[in-house]
């Protein structure tokens, strides 16, 4: 009996040593790559990371690292994945999710949650926020964090001098542009040149579509949408209304913030910084993007979202993967989304969150903060394709040349057609369906 008791004590002692050794190893360390290096966006992110680390002290520790913009972060992620030096969790441009899954670099979150965390509800997100990361079988591969939509920023002092408020229709916008450029000889507005923004152009101005519904073809000639969009933009460029980006200047956003442009279109994720930086410089206006004036006087709008999601790497240990999942859940939770949205201007992404008392109070105190959310009523997420990232860089380069090198609409249509046909399996298609 004494021998058995001694063996039990020895076993308990060994187990305690094992537990002590495991504890001595410290928390599971994971890294998180992101795309914000300063300002309100970085402050909000680091606050959330710090809160997570504090709540999981001794269990999980996350080290955040700024890498660059979305494209730079994804590029470095893919290169580092081959050597296993990639992070456990990374930002990914939301619309690139379906493209990235083809490389086997991220975990199917629907399957992971069903197996390891069955009580987790992916349905907590507004359905449109999951469009970019949901495959044809309904599996979700990344979750919304830092999602945005383009909104209009205005210099109310300059617009007031012209006798206008924020333009509501494209027709009113062109009136403002003509008067401002005639008065000053300078551009009136600016916006980024990017695939996502061009999508907005063709869906709003031209009544067309970007990709077909399956993402395998381009709807270039549907309702002549692309040609109408490029023609309107070419006209604004030729008349000096649009500020063409230049490598030698700070760009349209810097010019707007300095008080030199009446209005511009930019991500809602810049709202927090814009409010702070324009204080004492000029009165900042924030509104939905202009739409097309209808015969009955109403404004027809179609908008889209951009911004980022969080993905979980597929090449990490079971412990790191579990820790990464806990981190993603925290960063994309309702609580985190409310804090992040009100701090930065990124949109609310959870069902019913607009009714939260904290949100209502913040919107009452600062109506600018709700513009992006209200604009989501016109959301039209149809530009989804697993080939988005392959097309994007070429598309942006082509549009930059169109804006700066006096390329005709006809030639630009031919350039874009070549890009689409070289990448998309179905090339150019006649219908969205």
């Amino acid at each position: 009996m004494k021998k058995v008791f001694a063996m039990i004590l020895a076993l308990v002692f060994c187990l305690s040593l094992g537990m002590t050794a495991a504890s001595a190893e410290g928390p599971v360390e994971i890294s998180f790559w992101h795309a914000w290096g300063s300002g309100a966006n970085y402050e909000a992110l680091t606050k959330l990371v710090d809160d997570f680390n504090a709540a999981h002290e001794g269990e999980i520790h996350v080290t955040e690292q700024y890498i660059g913009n979305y494209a730079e972060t994804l590029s470095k992620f893919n290169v580092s994945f081959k050597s296993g030096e990639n992070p456990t969790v990374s930002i990914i441009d939301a619309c690139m999710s379906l493209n990235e899954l083809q490389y086997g670099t991220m975990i199917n979150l629907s399957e992971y949650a069903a197996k390891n965390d069955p009580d987790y509800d992916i349905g907590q997100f507004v359905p449109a926020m999951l469009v970019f990361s949901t495959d044809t079988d309904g599996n979700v591969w990344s979750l919304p964090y830092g999602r945005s939509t383009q909104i209009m920023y205005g210099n109310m002092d300059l617009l007031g001098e012209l006798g206008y408020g924020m333009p509501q229709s494209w027709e009113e916008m062109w009136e403002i542009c003509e008067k401002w450029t005639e008065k000053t000889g300078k551009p009136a507005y600016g916006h980024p040149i990017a695939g996502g923004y061009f999508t907005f152009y063709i869906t709003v101005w031209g009544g067309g579509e970007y990709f077909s519904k399956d993402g395998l073809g381009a709807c270039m000639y549907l309702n002549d949408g692309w040609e109408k969009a490029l023609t309107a933009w070419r006209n604004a460029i030729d008349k000096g209304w649009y500020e063409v980006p230049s490598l030698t200047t700070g760009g349209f956003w810097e010019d707007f913030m300095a008080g030199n442009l009446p209005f511009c279109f930019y991500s809602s994720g810049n709202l927090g910084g814009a409010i702070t930086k324009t204080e004492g410089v000029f009165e900042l206006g924030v509104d939905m993007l202009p739409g097309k004036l209808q015969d009955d006087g109403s404004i027809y709008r179609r908008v889209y979202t951009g911004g980022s999601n969080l993905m979980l790497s597929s090449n990490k240990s079971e412990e790191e993967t579990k820790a990464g999942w806990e981190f993603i859940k925290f960063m994309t939770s309702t609580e985190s989304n409310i804090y992040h949205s009100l701090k930065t201007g990124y949109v609310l992404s959870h069902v019913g969150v607009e009714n939260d008392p904290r949100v209502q109070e913040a919107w009452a105190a600062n109506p600018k903060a709700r513009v992006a959310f209200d604009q989501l009523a016109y959301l039209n997420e149809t530009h989804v394709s697993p080939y988005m990232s392959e097309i994007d860089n070429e598309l942006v380069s082509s549009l930059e040349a169109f804006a700066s090198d006096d390329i005709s609409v006809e030639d630009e249509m031919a350039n874009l057609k070549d890009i689409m046909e070289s990448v998309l399996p179905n090339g150019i298609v006649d219908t969205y369906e």
Side-chain angles (χ1 to χ4, degrees), residues 2-232:
K2 290 181 179 179
K3 186 176 181 179
V4 173
F5 185 67
M7 290 175 65
I8 293 174
L9 285 176
L11 179 60
V12 171
F13 179 69
C14 288
L15 289 173
S16 67
L17 282 178
M19 291 172 63
T20 302
S23 177
E25 291 176 0
V28 178
E29 294 282 350
I30 64 172
S31 55
F32 167 46
W33 285 2
H34 61 85
W36 297 280
S38 62
N41 296 329
Y42 180 66
E43 292 171 6
L45 180 143
T46 53
K47 168 69 164 55
L48 291 174
V49 172
D50 289 345
D51 286 350
F52 178 85
N53 284 335
H56 294 80
E57 187 173 2
E59 301 172 351
I60 304 172
H61 182 268
V62 177
T63 300
E64 56 84 12
Q65 185 178 357
Y66 166 70
I67 301 300
N69 61 33
Y70 294 155
E72 291 166 342
T73 302
L74 184 58
S75 176
K76 184 174 180 179
F77 177 90
N78 286 333
V79 171
S80 64
F81 187 87
K82 299 173 184 178
S83 62
E85 297 176 351
N86 57 291
T88 302
V89 177
S90 179
I91 284 289
I92 181 172
D93 190 329
C95 64
M96 304 297 181
S97 295
L98 293 184
N99 184 278
E100 188 64 19
L101 76 84
Q102 299 179 85
Y103 306 131
T105 58
M106 58 183 177
I107 286 177
N108 182 329
L109 298 183
S110 292
E111 289 186 353
Y112 185 85
K115 181 179 179 181
N116 301 282
D117 196 355
D119 291 332
Y120 182 75
D121 180 19
I122 290 182
Q124 67 184 278
F125 298 99
V126 175
M129 293 294 166
L130 297 176
V131 168
F132 289 134
S133 57
T134 303
D135 64 24
T136 54
D137 295 322
N139 294 302
V140 176
W141 292 82
S142 61
L143 295 181
Y145 173 84
R147 295 297 292 276
S148 60
T149 182
Q150 296 274 341
I151 56 176
M152 178 167 51
Y153 295 87
N155 183 322
M156 303 311 294
D157 298 343
L158 299 183
L159 288 169
E161 291 176 11
L162 296 174
Y164 288 87
M166 298 284 272
Q168 296 301 303
S169 67
W170 294 111
E171 291 81 359
E172 185 180 18
M173 170 180 155
W174 299 137
E175 288 181 16
I176 293 172
C177 288
E178 185 171 24
K179 290 187 177 182
W180 173 260
T181 302
E182 184 178 282
K183 175 182 177 181
T184 66
K186 298 178 181 179
Y189 81 106
H191 62 69
I193 296 180
Y197 198 82
F198 187 60
T199 301
F200 168 72
Y201 265 19
I202 61 180
T203 55
V204 175
W205 281 357
E209 295 290 356
Y210 194 47
F211 296 117
S212 55
K213 189 175 182 178
D214 59 12
L216 303 181
C219 303
M220 285 191 65
Y221 304 109
L222 181 63
N223 295 328
D224 296 323
W226 291 33
E227 183 178 4
K228 292 175 183 176
L230 287 172
T231 299

Side-chain angles (χ1 to χ4, degrees), residues 246-316:
S246 169
L247 296 177
T248 61
T249 66
F252 77 91
W253 182 244
E254 288 76 11
D255 277 353
F256 173 75
M257 296 294 282
N260 298 324
L261 289 177
F263 63 97
C264 68
F265 310 145
Y266 210 33
S267 168
S268 62
N270 294 88
L271 178 60
I275 291 174
T276 300
K277 293 178 181 178
T278 58
E279 188 173 354
V281 180
F282 60 82
E283 182 185 350
L284 177 68
V286 178
D287 210 334
M288 299 183 194
L289 293 171
K292 184 174 179 56
L293 183 64
Q294 303 297 291
D295 292 339
D296 62 2
S298 64
I299 304 296
Y300 175 69
R301 291 181 168 95
R302 290 175 72 188
V303 300
Y304 67 96
T305 61
S308 61
N309 282 7
L310 297 185
M311 64 176 176
L312 186 59
S313 301
S314 62
N315 62 347
K316 298 301 178 180

Side-chain angles (χ1 to χ4, degrees), residues 124-126 129 144 146-149 268 305 333-342 344-356 358-360 363 369-370 372-374 376:
Q124 67 184 278
F125 298 99
V126 175
M129 293 294 166
R147 295 297 292 276
S148 60
T149 182
S268 62
T305 61
S333 67
T334 300
E335 290 293 314
S336 295
N337 182 224
I338 290 174
Y339 167 75
H340 189 255
S341 175
L342 297 180
T344 65
Y346 282 101
V347 297
L348 294 165
S349 57
H350 292 65
V351 175
V353 73
E354 70 276 11
N355 299 317
D356 187 282
R358 292 164 296 180
V359 173
Q360 290 292 321
W363 284 353
R370 71 170 298 153
F373 180 84
D374 288 344
L376 295 183

